[in-house]
Amino acid sequence: MRGRTTDSTFMQRALGLGLSQLGKTVPNPSVGCVIVRDGVVIAEGATGDGGRPHAEEAALAALGGEAEGATAYVTLEPCGERSNGACSCSQRLVEAKVKRVVFACEDPSPYASHIGTERLKAAGIEVETGLMADECAALIADFVKNLPVKR
């Protein structure tokens, strides 16, 4: 069963995961991720202490990277690029063959905004944005304040 209520329930869980790491992930934002297949949570993760691993990376690692046909609920747009050159979360989700990604807030980084979304859509993954964006914005407030301005 898929619907706004179910989506909200899973995003609420992702928000809770992100809140559990709030203040511990600097310089990165605190993010929560819940991966669901057939209405059942199959993995979850949050940004690690110091910003690594990313939430999606942690959740996918718990599954051995296998999430074919699943939906990922993420409090922030999956990253399109990583500053350390590692595989981005959007690429990891593509490789894991998720069918749908629902995220709350767009990536506010002037260097990465929308890159993750574009990669997911190009791979044929259904992308929905904005669910619980106001609630999840608290997770990235400090991150946004410290972003450089792209020139």
Side-chain angles (χ1 to χ4, degrees), residues 77-81 87-94 114-125 127:
E77 175 185 2
C79 67
E81 296 179 359
C87 185
S88 69
C89 292
S90 58
Q91 184 62 41
R92 289 174 192 274
L93 291 166
V94 167
H114 306 296
I115 294 171
T117 298
E118 290 169 9
R119 179 177 290 120
L120 295 167
K121 288 181 177 179
I125 296 170
V127 177

Side-chain angles (χ1 to χ4, degrees), residues 24-137:
K24 301 175 188 174
T25 63
V26 176
N28 290 346
S30 182
V31 177
C33 175
V34 174
I35 301 177
V36 176
R37 186 183 296 123
D38 299 323
V40 176
V41 174
I42 58 173
E44 51 187 33
T47 308
D49 292 353
R52 300 281 190 267
H54 287 188
E56 302 93 310
E57 183 178 7
L60 288 169
L63 289 172
E66 182 57 42
E68 188 168 354
T71 298
Y73 295 87
V74 191
T75 58
L76 180 64
E77 175 185 2
C79 67
E81 296 179 359
R82 298 277 293 265
S83 60
N84 65 0
C87 185
S88 69
C89 292
S90 58
Q91 184 62 41
R92 289 174 192 274
L93 291 166
V94 167
E95 291 172 4
K97 300 179 181 174
V98 300
K99 71 174 181 180
R100 183 171 170 245
V101 174
V102 179
F103 68 84
C105 301
E106 293 180 356
D107 186 340
S109 167
Y111 303 104
S113 184
H114 306 296
I115 294 171
T117 298
E118 290 169 9
R119 179 177 290 120
L120 295 167
K121 288 181 177 179
I125 296 170
E126 180 183 348
V127 177
E128 296 178 29
T129 66
L131 178 64
M132 296 180 59
D134 291 342
E135 295 91 329
C136 293

